[in-house]
Amino acid sequence: MSSPTVAELVPILQTAIGPALLISGVGLLLLTMTNRLGRVVDRARLLVHQLEDCPAELRSRKAAQLPILWQRARQIRLAITFASISALLAAILVVMLFLSALLRIEDAWLISVLFILCMGTLIASLIVFLRDINRSLTALKVELEEGHRKAG
């Protein structure tokens, strides 16, 4: 079995560019998600600290935000997990494209399944991420109601 020529590898390189770009895009998405997770964690810690010095009539309203923040943190963690799996599958896809060319193995099913799983986990990550964004509006509503009550 002979090694493929450079001319034979060029189409593989061209094919591998898509999954490689996907890894870059998912990396930026992960950066956004980890920043959101950090903000949720910071907000929860601040609320817990404020509960210690909070008057009793405000304590329940502030405490009502904590379960929402916990759910958001769990959702963001799930979104990060799905996005990380997507990037991992994209990396495996690139490796499999090259191995199939080097070893002259024609396994379109494996490549197709890896790509579909990669896209499926990315879609799942984005759905969970959108759910977190909607959940953050719930937390904001609780906080705004608290501010409205203080002002009124």
Side-chain angles (χ1 to χ4, degrees):
M1 175 167 59
S2 65
S3 298
T5 65
V6 173
E8 292 173 327
L9 285 179
V10 169
I12 302 299
L13 281 169
Q14 291 170 337
T15 304
I17 287 174
L21 288 174
L22 178 68
I23 294 169
S24 177
V26 171
L28 291 173
L29 186 62
L30 283 167
L31 179 63
T32 300
M33 290 177 183
T34 55
N35 284 339
R36 281 184 71 84
L37 180 60
R39 291 181 58 108
V40 167
V41 169
D42 290 345
R43 178 71 180 141
R45 287 181 176 153
L46 178 66
L47 275 174
V48 168
H49 180 70
Q50 288 176 349
L51 283 174
E52 296 170 359
D53 304 325
C54 187
E57 64 273 2
L58 294 177
R59 188 171 289 135
S60 65
R61 283 185 241 143
K62 285 194 179 286
Q65 293 181 46
L66 290 173
I68 296 168
L69 290 170
W70 174 248
Q71 289 172 351
R72 287 190 58 213
R74 289 180 55 216
Q75 282 182 332
I76 296 169
R77 180 186 63 190
L78 183 60
I80 289 170
T81 300
F82 280 134
S84 298
I85 291 170
S86 179
L88 177 64
L89 288 169
I92 292 170
L93 178 58
V94 170
V95 170
M96 292 308 297
L97 285 168
F98 278 101
L99 285 177
S100 66
L102 289 174
L103 301 175
R104 300 190 188 274
I105 299 170
E106 290 294 324
D107 196 355
W109 276 100
L110 177 61
I111 302 298
S112 299
V113 167
L114 281 172
F115 184 74
I116 290 167
L117 288 173
C118 178
M119 290 293 102
T121 54
L122 179 59
I123 290 167
S125 175
L126 292 172
I127 288 170
V128 174
F129 188 56
L130 286 172
R131 286 180 59 203
D132 167 62
I133 289 171
N134 288 330
R135 194 73 175 140
S136 70
L137 291 177
T138 303
L140 178 62
K141 182 180 177 185
V142 169
E143 193 168 343
L144 290 176
E145 286 172 354
E146 176 184 321
H148 180 63
R149 286 184 188 129
K150 282 182 184 178

